[in-house]
């Protein structure tokens, strides 16, 4: 039995990097410290795709890696406008290889931000973002706001490691010296811990941010008695907490990005943060979901100039979310094949998008079966990033962290290698046809 320390969890955007494991006979037998229950479950392992498969007469039949990779290359080579989607639960090296492949075959490359924090990215492009690292939050923040986010269930270590419950250099008393405000449309596990819980009406976040901004800027007389279901009294209470805080942070989730004014909600949230600067240090940060959703946005920006939803079919990068985003492309039936990697649109895309996805050839690359497997035509199992292979990822605060390899595999192939091998096959097909 070997004890391995400083293991990094490859599940959510917290990217916890102080996990201690026990490994015996190339198997994780115990997660001793550091991981939450979902992180622990991933590290201990569960049912995975056992072999590459190709669908024949409606049924997935097992095959070799070479056969599956050749078939995937044929599908992409024959396509006029393939969609290459996912990329958030794999490492930056795979993302980079995928963007290169998309450029070469004239595809549209997009990641899961398109259905989660895409509006946050658009807002940041509009007005910038006053943000910080999670380390700064841990060491300095005395007022924490979670808005439209439920970390107690979705990012289980977030409060313990980085925010309300953590103890840092200037926050040695932990939660005793801090205040927690939760804003949501319903009571959650996180709201139960809050000093102040604000129950906002569905889709009215924009108005509540505006009211708080007005109060912070000295215009409380223009704020009516109730805004978005929240009483003026409560708004004044929160504004006073903001005024008294030395270092405040707003963490926001998809409860804000996908309601009402969408990316304008985030623009307003950022302007609320700036109003906080009249009184103290204020920051804001999106609660990114997948462990490397942030990393894809980084890599895509390095390589194409844009963070997601990039159409490379014109021979240059064209970025126009709403037109070039995956769901819109699928609604319009504007792509003729799809490579889905490290994600599950089968479970998360709207029905109209899925209807087209079910009609076109789909290649899936993933360690685990999920609803997308049900309609995939080629399934290629991957080594598990952060367990069977290493690689670079970006935590939700844009801090790069290296995933470690903790188990050996002599069968499963890392995502980056699968994508590179598909690309090599596409080049070989092109050479064969004398293009
Ligand atoms: S909080 Fe997220 S990164 Fe940390 S152990 Fe849990 S699932 Fe893994």
């Amino acid at each position: 039995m070997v004890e391995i320390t400083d293991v990094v969890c490859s599940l959510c955007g917290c990217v916890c990097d102080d996990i201690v494991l026990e490994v015996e006979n190339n198997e994780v037998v115990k997660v001793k410290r550091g991981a939450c229950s979902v992180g622990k479950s991933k590290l201990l392992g569960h049912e995975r795709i056992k072999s590459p498969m190709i669908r024949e007469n409606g049924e997935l039949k097992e095959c070799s890696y070479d056969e599956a990779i050749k078939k995937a290359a044929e599908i992409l080579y024959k396509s006029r406008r393939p969609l290459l989607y996912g990329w958030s639960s794999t490492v930056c090296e795979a993302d980079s290889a995928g963007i290169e492949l998309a450029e070469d075959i004239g595809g549209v490359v997009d990641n899961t931000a398109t259905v989660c924090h895409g509006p946050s990215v658009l807002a940041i492009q509009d007005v910038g973002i006053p943000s910080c690292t999670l380390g700064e939050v841990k060491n300095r923040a005395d007022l924490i706001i979670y808005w439209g986010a439920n970390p107690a269930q979705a990012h289980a270590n977030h409060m313990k490691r980085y925010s309300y419950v953590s103890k840092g250099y200037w926050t040695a008393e932990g939660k005793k010296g801090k205040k927690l405000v939760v804003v949501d449309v319903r009571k959650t596990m996180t709201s139960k811990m809050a000093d102040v819980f604000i129950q906002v009406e569905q889709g009215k976040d924009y108005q509540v941010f505006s009211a708080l901004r007005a109060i912070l800027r000295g215009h409380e007389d223009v704020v009516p008695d109730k805004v978005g279901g929240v009483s003026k009294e409560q708004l004044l209470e929160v504004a006073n907490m903001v005024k008294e805080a030395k270092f405040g942070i707003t963490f926001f989730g998809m409860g804000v990005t996908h309601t009402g004014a969408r990316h304008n909600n985030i623009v307003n949230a950022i302007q609320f943060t700036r109003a906080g600067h009249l009184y103290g240090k204020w920051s804001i940060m999106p609660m990114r979901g997948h462990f490397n959703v942030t990393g894809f946005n980084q890599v895509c920006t390095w390589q194409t100039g844009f963070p997601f939803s990039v159409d490379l079919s014109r021979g240059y990068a064209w970025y126009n979310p709403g037109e070039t985003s995956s769901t819109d492309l699928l609604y319009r039936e504007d792509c003729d094949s799809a490579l889905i990697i490290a994600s599950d649109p089968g479970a998360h895309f709207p029905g109209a998008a899925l209807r087209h996805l079910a009609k076109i050839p789909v290649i899936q690359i993933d360690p685990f079966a999920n609803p997308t497997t049900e309609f995939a035509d080629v399934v290629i199992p991957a080594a598990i990033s952060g367990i069977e292979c290493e690689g670079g990822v970006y935590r939700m605060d844009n801090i790069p962290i290296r995933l470690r390899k903790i188990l050996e595999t002599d069968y499963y192939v890392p995502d980056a290698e699968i994508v590179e091998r598909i690309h090599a096959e596409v080049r070989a097909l092109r050479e064969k046809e004398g293009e």
Side-chain angles (χ1 to χ4, degrees), residues 210-242:
S210 293
L212 285 170
R213 283 175 64 194
I215 297 170
L216 290 173
R217 291 193 172 274
H219 303 295
E220 70 176 72
D221 50 316
V222 302
V223 176
D225 290 343
K226 213 164 201 187
V227 180
V230 185
S231 68
K232 186 169 182 177
E233 214 180 3
Q234 255 201 324
L235 292 167
L236 287 168
E237 185 188 2
V238 172
N240 279 335
M241 290 167 84
V242 171

PDB file of all heavy atoms in Angstrom, residues 210-242:
ATOM      1  N   SER A 210     -29.565  46.196  -9.675  1.00  0.00           N
ATOM      2  CA  SER A 210     -29.715  47.637  -9.934  1.00  0.00           C
ATOM      3  C   SER A 210     -30.068  48.377  -8.645  1.00  0.00           C
ATOM      4  O   SER A 210     -29.531  49.453  -8.367  1.00  0.00           O
ATOM      5  CB  SER A 210     -30.818  47.899 -10.968  1.00  0.00           C
ATOM      6  OG  SER A 210     -30.418  47.386 -12.202  1.00  0.00           O
ATOM      7  N   ALA A 211     -30.993  47.800  -7.853  1.00  0.00           N
ATOM      8  CA  ALA A 211     -31.411  48.458  -6.609  1.00  0.00           C
ATOM      9  C   ALA A 211     -30.229  48.572  -5.643  1.00  0.00           C
ATOM     10  O   ALA A 211     -30.007  49.627  -5.027  1.00  0.00           O
ATOM     11  CB  ALA A 211     -32.551  47.663  -5.973  1.00  0.00           C
ATOM     12  N   LEU A 212     -29.447  47.505  -5.530  1.00  0.00           N
ATOM     13  CA  LEU A 212     -28.285  47.540  -4.627  1.00  0.00           C
ATOM     14  C   LEU A 212     -27.263  48.578  -5.101  1.00  0.00           C
ATOM     15  O   LEU A 212     -26.683  49.314  -4.301  1.00  0.00           O
ATOM     16  CB  LEU A 212     -27.637  46.153  -4.542  1.00  0.00           C
ATOM     17  CG  LEU A 212     -28.411  45.116  -3.705  1.00  0.00           C
ATOM     18  CD1 LEU A 212     -27.815  43.723  -3.887  1.00  0.00           C
ATOM     19  CD2 LEU A 212     -28.397  45.499  -2.228  1.00  0.00           C
ATOM     20  N   ARG A 213     -27.070  48.632  -6.425  1.00  0.00           N
ATOM     21  CA  ARG A 213     -26.138  49.639  -6.981  1.00  0.00           C
ATOM     22  C   ARG A 213     -26.607  51.046  -6.637  1.00  0.00           C
ATOM     23  O   ARG A 213     -25.812  51.904  -6.236  1.00  0.00           O
ATOM     24  CB  ARG A 213     -26.057  49.514  -8.505  1.00  0.00           C
ATOM     25  CG  ARG A 213     -25.228  48.364  -8.989  1.00  0.00           C
ATOM     26  CD  ARG A 213     -25.323  48.258 -10.494  1.00  0.00           C
ATOM     27  NE  ARG A 213     -24.768  49.408 -11.176  1.00  0.00           N
ATOM     28  CZ  ARG A 213     -24.959  49.685 -12.469  1.00  0.00           C
ATOM     29  NH1 ARG A 213     -25.705  48.878 -13.199  1.00  0.00           N
ATOM     30  NH2 ARG A 213     -24.408  50.738 -13.020  1.00  0.00           N
ATOM     31  N   ALA A 214     -27.912  51.270  -6.794  1.00  0.00           N
ATOM     32  CA  ALA A 214     -28.459  52.610  -6.518  1.00  0.00           C
ATOM     33  C   ALA A 214     -28.219  52.986  -5.051  1.00  0.00           C
ATOM     34  O   ALA A 214     -27.782  54.100  -4.741  1.00  0.00           O
ATOM     35  CB  ALA A 214     -29.944  52.636  -6.849  1.00  0.00           C
ATOM     36  N   ILE A 215     -28.481  52.027  -4.152  1.00  0.00           N
ATOM     37  CA  ILE A 215     -28.292  52.321  -2.711  1.00  0.00           C
ATOM     38  C   ILE A 215     -26.817  52.614  -2.427  1.00  0.00           C
ATOM     39  O   ILE A 215     -26.471  53.590  -1.759  1.00  0.00           O
ATOM     40  CB  ILE A 215     -28.800  51.147  -1.841  1.00  0.00           C
ATOM     41  CG1 ILE A 215     -30.303  50.951  -2.046  1.00  0.00           C
ATOM     42  CG2 ILE A 215     -28.490  51.405  -0.366  1.00  0.00           C
ATOM     43  CD1 ILE A 215     -30.867  49.679  -1.437  1.00  0.00           C
ATOM     44  N   LEU A 216     -25.930  51.772  -2.978  1.00  0.00           N
ATOM     45  CA  LEU A 216     -24.489  51.955  -2.712  1.00  0.00           C
ATOM     46  C   LEU A 216     -23.985  53.292  -3.262  1.00  0.00           C
ATOM     47  O   LEU A 216     -23.062  53.891  -2.722  1.00  0.00           O
ATOM     48  CB  LEU A 216     -23.678  50.800  -3.325  1.00  0.00           C
ATOM     49  CG  LEU A 216     -23.856  49.437  -2.644  1.00  0.00           C
ATOM     50  CD1 LEU A 216     -23.140  48.345  -3.428  1.00  0.00           C
ATOM     51  CD2 LEU A 216     -23.346  49.457  -1.207  1.00  0.00           C
ATOM     52  N   ARG A 217     -24.612  53.770  -4.333  1.00  0.00           N
ATOM     53  CA  ARG A 217     -24.170  55.035  -4.923  1.00  0.00           C
ATOM     54  C   ARG A 217     -24.931  56.231  -4.355  1.00  0.00           C
ATOM     55  O   ARG A 217     -24.864  57.341  -4.877  1.00  0.00           O
ATOM     56  CB  ARG A 217     -24.295  54.974  -6.453  1.00  0.00           C
ATOM     57  CG  ARG A 217     -23.274  54.006  -7.049  1.00  0.00           C
ATOM     58  CD  ARG A 217     -23.127  54.136  -8.536  1.00  0.00           C
ATOM     59  NE  ARG A 217     -22.010  53.306  -9.007  1.00  0.00           N
ATOM     60  CZ  ARG A 217     -20.746  53.690  -9.042  1.00  0.00           C
ATOM     61  NH1 ARG A 217     -20.421  54.911  -8.650  1.00  0.00           N
ATOM     62  NH2 ARG A 217     -19.798  52.872  -9.472  1.00  0.00           N
ATOM     63  N   GLY A 218     -25.694  55.994  -3.269  1.00  0.00           N
ATOM     64  CA  GLY A 218     -26.336  57.104  -2.563  1.00  0.00           C
ATOM     65  C   GLY A 218     -27.666  57.529  -3.139  1.00  0.00           C
ATOM     66  O   GLY A 218     -28.131  58.640  -2.902  1.00  0.00           O
ATOM     67  N   HIS A 219     -28.335  56.644  -3.904  1.00  0.00           N
ATOM     68  CA  HIS A 219     -29.637  57.009  -4.491  1.00  0.00           C
ATOM     69  C   HIS A 219     -30.741  56.107  -3.954  1.00  0.00           C
ATOM     70  O   HIS A 219     -31.605  55.650  -4.707  1.00  0.00           O
ATOM     71  CB  HIS A 219     -29.575  56.901  -6.024  1.00  0.00           C
ATOM     72  CG  HIS A 219     -28.505  57.738  -6.638  1.00  0.00           C
ATOM     73  ND1 HIS A 219     -28.513  59.106  -6.580  1.00  0.00           N
ATOM     74  CD2 HIS A 219     -27.367  57.394  -7.292  1.00  0.00           C
ATOM     75  CE1 HIS A 219     -27.429  59.575  -7.182  1.00  0.00           C
ATOM     76  NE2 HIS A 219     -26.720  58.556  -7.618  1.00  0.00           N
ATOM     77  N   GLU A 220     -30.732  55.820  -2.671  1.00  0.00           N
ATOM     78  CA  GLU A 220     -31.729  54.888  -2.128  1.00  0.00           C
ATOM     79  C   GLU A 220     -33.149  55.437  -2.264  1.00  0.00           C
ATOM     80  O   GLU A 220     -34.122  54.673  -2.269  1.00  0.00           O
ATOM     81  CB  GLU A 220     -31.420  54.527  -0.680  1.00  0.00           C
ATOM     82  CG  GLU A 220     -31.615  55.643   0.323  1.00  0.00           C
ATOM     83  CD  GLU A 220     -31.376  55.167   1.747  1.00  0.00           C
ATOM     84  OE1 GLU A 220     -30.201  54.941   2.074  1.00  0.00           O
ATOM     85  OE2 GLU A 220     -32.352  55.038   2.497  1.00  0.00           O
ATOM     86  N   ASP A 221     -33.301  56.756  -2.422  1.00  0.00           N
ATOM     87  CA  ASP A 221     -34.638  57.353  -2.572  1.00  0.00           C
ATOM     88  C   ASP A 221     -35.353  56.875  -3.847  1.00  0.00           C
ATOM     89  O   ASP A 221     -36.576  56.873  -3.904  1.00  0.00           O
ATOM     90  CB  ASP A 221     -34.530  58.892  -2.575  1.00  0.00           C
ATOM     91  CG  ASP A 221     -33.468  59.387  -3.551  1.00  0.00           C
ATOM     92  OD1 ASP A 221     -32.374  58.793  -3.568  1.00  0.00           O
ATOM     93  OD2 ASP A 221     -33.751  60.332  -4.312  1.00  0.00           O
ATOM     94  N   VAL A 222     -34.585  56.425  -4.870  1.00  0.00           N
ATOM     95  CA  VAL A 222     -35.247  55.974  -6.111  1.00  0.00           C
ATOM     96  C   VAL A 222     -35.669  54.503  -6.034  1.00  0.00           C
ATOM     97  O   VAL A 222     -36.332  53.997  -6.939  1.00  0.00           O
ATOM     98  CB  VAL A 222     -34.344  56.169  -7.368  1.00  0.00           C
ATOM     99  CG1 VAL A 222     -33.935  57.613  -7.535  1.00  0.00           C
ATOM    100  CG2 VAL A 222     -33.122  55.242  -7.332  1.00  0.00           C
ATOM    101  N   VAL A 223     -35.280  53.823  -4.952  1.00  0.00           N
ATOM    102  CA  VAL A 223     -35.588  52.387  -4.854  1.00  0.00           C
ATOM    103  C   VAL A 223     -36.985  52.209  -4.257  1.00  0.00           C
ATOM    104  O   VAL A 223     -37.265  52.721  -3.166  1.00  0.00           O
ATOM    105  CB  VAL A 223     -34.520  51.669  -3.983  1.00  0.00           C
ATOM    106  CG1 VAL A 223     -34.876  50.207  -3.779  1.00  0.00           C
ATOM    107  CG2 VAL A 223     -33.140  51.807  -4.621  1.00  0.00           C
ATOM    108  N   PRO A 224     -37.886  51.503  -4.974  1.00  0.00           N
ATOM    109  CA  PRO A 224     -39.237  51.297  -4.427  1.00  0.00           C
ATOM    110  C   PRO A 224     -39.241  50.357  -3.210  1.00  0.00           C
ATOM    111  O   PRO A 224     -38.199  49.770  -2.874  1.00  0.00           O
ATOM    112  CB  PRO A 224     -39.999  50.693  -5.605  1.00  0.00           C
ATOM    113  CG  PRO A 224     -38.973  50.175  -6.526  1.00  0.00           C
ATOM    114  CD  PRO A 224     -37.700  50.915  -6.284  1.00  0.00           C
ATOM    115  N   ASP A 225     -40.420  50.178  -2.596  1.00  0.00           N
ATOM    116  CA  ASP A 225     -40.498  49.362  -1.370  1.00  0.00           C
ATOM    117  C   ASP A 225     -40.171  47.892  -1.607  1.00  0.00           C
ATOM    118  O   ASP A 225     -39.764  47.171  -0.707  1.00  0.00           O
ATOM    119  CB  ASP A 225     -41.919  49.456  -0.778  1.00  0.00           C
ATOM    120  CG  ASP A 225     -42.144  50.855  -0.227  1.00  0.00           C
ATOM    121  OD1 ASP A 225     -41.148  51.575  -0.016  1.00  0.00           O
ATOM    122  OD2 ASP A 225     -43.318  51.234  -0.060  1.00  0.00           O
ATOM    123  N   LYS A 226     -40.389  47.439  -2.818  1.00  0.00           N
ATOM    124  CA  LYS A 226     -40.102  46.030  -3.142  1.00  0.00           C
ATOM    125  C   LYS A 226     -39.475  45.956  -4.525  1.00  0.00           C
ATOM    126  O   LYS A 226     -39.984  46.595  -5.464  1.00  0.00           O
ATOM    127  CB  LYS A 226     -41.398  45.235  -3.112  1.00  0.00           C
ATOM    128  CG  LYS A 226     -41.192  43.831  -2.647  1.00  0.00           C
ATOM    129  CD  LYS A 226     -42.488  43.166  -2.251  1.00  0.00           C
ATOM    130  CE  LYS A 226     -42.123  41.999  -1.340  1.00  0.00           C
ATOM    131  NZ  LYS A 226     -43.217  41.181  -1.000  1.00  0.00           N
ATOM    132  N   VAL A 227     -38.391  45.195  -4.661  1.00  0.00           N
ATOM    133  CA  VAL A 227     -37.753  45.016  -5.977  1.00  0.00           C
ATOM    134  C   VAL A 227     -37.521  43.525  -6.197  1.00  0.00           C
ATOM    135  O   VAL A 227     -36.843  42.876  -5.394  1.00  0.00           O
ATOM    136  CB  VAL A 227     -36.387  45.760  -6.047  1.00  0.00           C
ATOM    137  CG1 VAL A 227     -35.740  45.562  -7.417  1.00  0.00           C
ATOM    138  CG2 VAL A 227     -36.550  47.237  -5.745  1.00  0.00           C
ATOM    139  N   GLY A 228     -38.071  43.007  -7.261  1.00  0.00           N
ATOM    140  CA  GLY A 228     -37.875  41.575  -7.585  1.00  0.00           C
ATOM    141  C   GLY A 228     -38.271  40.660  -6.442  1.00  0.00           C
ATOM    142  O   GLY A 228     -37.647  39.614  -6.229  1.00  0.00           O
ATOM    143  N   GLY A 229     -39.297  41.063  -5.678  1.00  0.00           N
ATOM    144  CA  GLY A 229     -39.753  40.239  -4.557  1.00  0.00           C
ATOM    145  C   GLY A 229     -38.967  40.478  -3.274  1.00  0.00           C
ATOM    146  O   GLY A 229     -39.228  39.838  -2.248  1.00  0.00           O
ATOM    147  N   VAL A 230     -37.992  41.393  -3.296  1.00  0.00           N
ATOM    148  CA  VAL A 230     -37.151  41.639  -2.105  1.00  0.00           C
ATOM    149  C   VAL A 230     -37.532  42.989  -1.498  1.00  0.00           C
ATOM    150  O   VAL A 230     -37.632  43.997  -2.214  1.00  0.00           O
ATOM    151  CB  VAL A 230     -35.646  41.652  -2.492  1.00  0.00           C
ATOM    152  CG1 VAL A 230     -34.776  41.779  -1.253  1.00  0.00           C
ATOM    153  CG2 VAL A 230     -35.283  40.415  -3.289  1.00  0.00           C
ATOM    154  N   SER A 231     -37.737  43.021  -0.182  1.00  0.00           N
ATOM    155  CA  SER A 231     -38.140  44.279   0.456  1.00  0.00           C
ATOM    156  C   SER A 231     -36.976  45.269   0.479  1.00  0.00           C
ATOM    157  O   SER A 231     -35.801  44.879   0.534  1.00  0.00           O
ATOM    158  CB  SER A 231     -38.613  44.011   1.883  1.00  0.00           C
ATOM    159  OG  SER A 231     -37.510  43.612   2.669  1.00  0.00           O
ATOM    160  N   LYS A 232     -37.325  46.569   0.482  1.00  0.00           N
ATOM    161  CA  LYS A 232     -36.301  47.606   0.534  1.00  0.00           C
ATOM    162  C   LYS A 232     -35.473  47.472   1.823  1.00  0.00           C
ATOM    163  O   LYS A 232     -34.261  47.699   1.829  1.00  0.00           O
ATOM    164  CB  LYS A 232     -36.970  48.986   0.472  1.00  0.00           C
ATOM    165  CG  LYS A 232     -35.976  50.134   0.379  1.00  0.00           C
ATOM    166  CD  LYS A 232     -36.667  51.421   0.060  1.00  0.00           C
ATOM    167  CE  LYS A 232     -35.667  52.552  -0.067  1.00  0.00           C
ATOM    168  NZ  LYS A 232     -36.309  53.805  -0.443  1.00  0.00           N
ATOM    169  N   GLU A 233     -36.148  47.052   2.885  1.00  0.00           N
ATOM    170  CA  GLU A 233     -35.462  46.861   4.177  1.00  0.00           C
ATOM    171  C   GLU A 233     -34.298  45.862   4.031  1.00  0.00           C
ATOM    172  O   GLU A 233     -33.188  46.105   4.490  1.00  0.00           O
ATOM    173  CB  GLU A 233     -36.500  46.291   5.135  1.00  0.00           C
ATOM    174  CG  GLU A 233     -36.331  46.737   6.550  1.00  0.00           C
ATOM    175  CD  GLU A 233     -37.429  46.107   7.402  1.00  0.00           C
ATOM    176  OE1 GLU A 233     -38.257  45.311   6.885  1.00  0.00           O
ATOM    177  OE2 GLU A 233     -37.437  46.422   8.590  1.00  0.00           O
ATOM    178  N   GLN A 234     -34.589  44.754   3.363  1.00  0.00           N
ATOM    179  CA  GLN A 234     -33.552  43.728   3.179  1.00  0.00           C
ATOM    180  C   GLN A 234     -32.424  44.237   2.280  1.00  0.00           C
ATOM    181  O   GLN A 234     -31.246  43.963   2.518  1.00  0.00           O
ATOM    182  CB  GLN A 234     -34.170  42.465   2.566  1.00  0.00           C
ATOM    183  CG  GLN A 234     -34.321  41.357   3.586  1.00  0.00           C
ATOM    184  CD  GLN A 234     -34.434  39.996   2.928  1.00  0.00           C
ATOM    185  OE1 GLN A 234     -35.041  39.876   1.858  1.00  0.00           O
ATOM    186  NE2 GLN A 234     -33.881  38.985   3.548  1.00  0.00           N
ATOM    187  N   LEU A 235     -32.819  44.988   1.250  1.00  0.00           N
ATOM    188  CA  LEU A 235     -31.803  45.539   0.341  1.00  0.00           C
ATOM    189  C   LEU A 235     -30.883  46.493   1.096  1.00  0.00           C
ATOM    190  O   LEU A 235     -29.660  46.469   0.918  1.00  0.00           O
ATOM    191  CB  LEU A 235     -32.474  46.260  -0.841  1.00  0.00           C
ATOM    192  CG  LEU A 235     -33.238  45.360  -1.820  1.00  0.00           C
ATOM    193  CD1 LEU A 235     -34.110  46.191  -2.744  1.00  0.00           C
ATOM    194  CD2 LEU A 235     -32.262  44.519  -2.637  1.00  0.00           C
ATOM    195  N   LEU A 236     -31.473  47.311   1.974  1.00  0.00           N
ATOM    196  CA  LEU A 236     -30.662  48.253   2.764  1.00  0.00           C
ATOM    197  C   LEU A 236     -29.734  47.490   3.711  1.00  0.00           C
ATOM    198  O   LEU A 236     -28.571  47.863   3.906  1.00  0.00           O
ATOM    199  CB  LEU A 236     -31.567  49.202   3.557  1.00  0.00           C
ATOM    200  CG  LEU A 236     -32.282  50.266   2.714  1.00  0.00           C
ATOM    201  CD1 LEU A 236     -33.377  50.958   3.517  1.00  0.00           C
ATOM    202  CD2 LEU A 236     -31.285  51.307   2.192  1.00  0.00           C
ATOM    203  N   GLU A 237     -30.257  46.383   4.255  1.00  0.00           N
ATOM    204  CA  GLU A 237     -29.439  45.580   5.169  1.00  0.00           C
ATOM    205  C   GLU A 237     -28.200  45.026   4.447  1.00  0.00           C
ATOM    206  O   GLU A 237     -27.071  45.130   4.935  1.00  0.00           O
ATOM    207  CB  GLU A 237     -30.304  44.420   5.717  1.00  0.00           C
ATOM    208  CG  GLU A 237     -29.594  43.591   6.772  1.00  0.00           C
ATOM    209  CD  GLU A 237     -30.384  42.344   7.169  1.00  0.00           C
ATOM    210  OE1 GLU A 237     -31.479  42.093   6.594  1.00  0.00           O
ATOM    211  OE2 GLU A 237     -29.884  41.616   8.049  1.00  0.00           O
ATOM    212  N   VAL A 238     -28.415  44.472   3.247  1.00  0.00           N
ATOM    213  CA  VAL A 238     -27.283  43.918   2.491  1.00  0.00           C
ATOM    214  C   VAL A 238     -26.336  45.038   2.066  1.00  0.00           C
ATOM    215  O   VAL A 238     -25.108  44.904   2.163  1.00  0.00           O
ATOM    216  CB  VAL A 238     -27.781  43.105   1.269  1.00  0.00           C
ATOM    217  CG1 VAL A 238     -26.621  42.703   0.370  1.00  0.00           C
ATOM    218  CG2 VAL A 238     -28.531  41.882   1.723  1.00  0.00           C
ATOM    219  N   ALA A 239     -26.892  46.167   1.606  1.00  0.00           N
ATOM    220  CA  ALA A 239     -26.030  47.280   1.190  1.00  0.00           C
ATOM    221  C   ALA A 239     -25.164  47.754   2.368  1.00  0.00           C
ATOM    222  O   ALA A 239     -23.977  48.056   2.200  1.00  0.00           O
ATOM    223  CB  ALA A 239     -26.885  48.424   0.658  1.00  0.00           C
ATOM    224  N   ASN A 240     -25.738  47.768   3.582  1.00  0.00           N
ATOM    225  CA  ASN A 240     -24.943  48.165   4.753  1.00  0.00           C
ATOM    226  C   ASN A 240     -23.826  47.168   5.029  1.00  0.00           C
ATOM    227  O   ASN A 240     -22.719  47.542   5.404  1.00  0.00           O
ATOM    228  CB  ASN A 240     -25.836  48.294   6.000  1.00  0.00           C
ATOM    229  CG  ASN A 240     -26.550  49.628   5.992  1.00  0.00           C
ATOM    230  OD1 ASN A 240     -26.081  50.592   5.383  1.00  0.00           O
ATOM    231  ND2 ASN A 240     -27.707  49.690   6.640  1.00  0.00           N
ATOM    232  N   MET A 241     -24.122  45.882   4.827  1.00  0.00           N
ATOM    233  CA  MET A 241     -23.080  44.860   5.017  1.00  0.00           C
ATOM    234  C   MET A 241     -21.953  45.088   4.010  1.00  0.00           C
ATOM    235  O   MET A 241     -20.776  44.965   4.339  1.00  0.00           O
ATOM    236  CB  MET A 241     -23.675  43.452   4.838  1.00  0.00           C
ATOM    237  CG  MET A 241     -24.609  43.055   5.967  1.00  0.00           C
ATOM    238  SD  MET A 241     -25.565  41.573   5.553  1.00  0.00           S
ATOM    239  CE  MET A 241     -24.419  40.289   6.006  1.00  0.00           C
ATOM    240  N   VAL A 242     -22.325  45.429   2.767  1.00  0.00           N
ATOM    241  CA  VAL A 242     -21.323  45.701   1.728  1.00  0.00           C
ATOM    242  C   VAL A 242     -20.465  46.903   2.150  1.00  0.00           C
ATOM    243  O   VAL A 242     -19.231  46.880   2.056  1.00  0.00           O
ATOM    244  CB  VAL A 242     -21.995  45.962   0.355  1.00  0.00           C
ATOM    245  CG1 VAL A 242     -20.984  46.464  -0.668  1.00  0.00           C
ATOM    246  CG2 VAL A 242     -22.689  44.705  -0.147  1.00  0.00           C
TER     247      VAL A 242
END
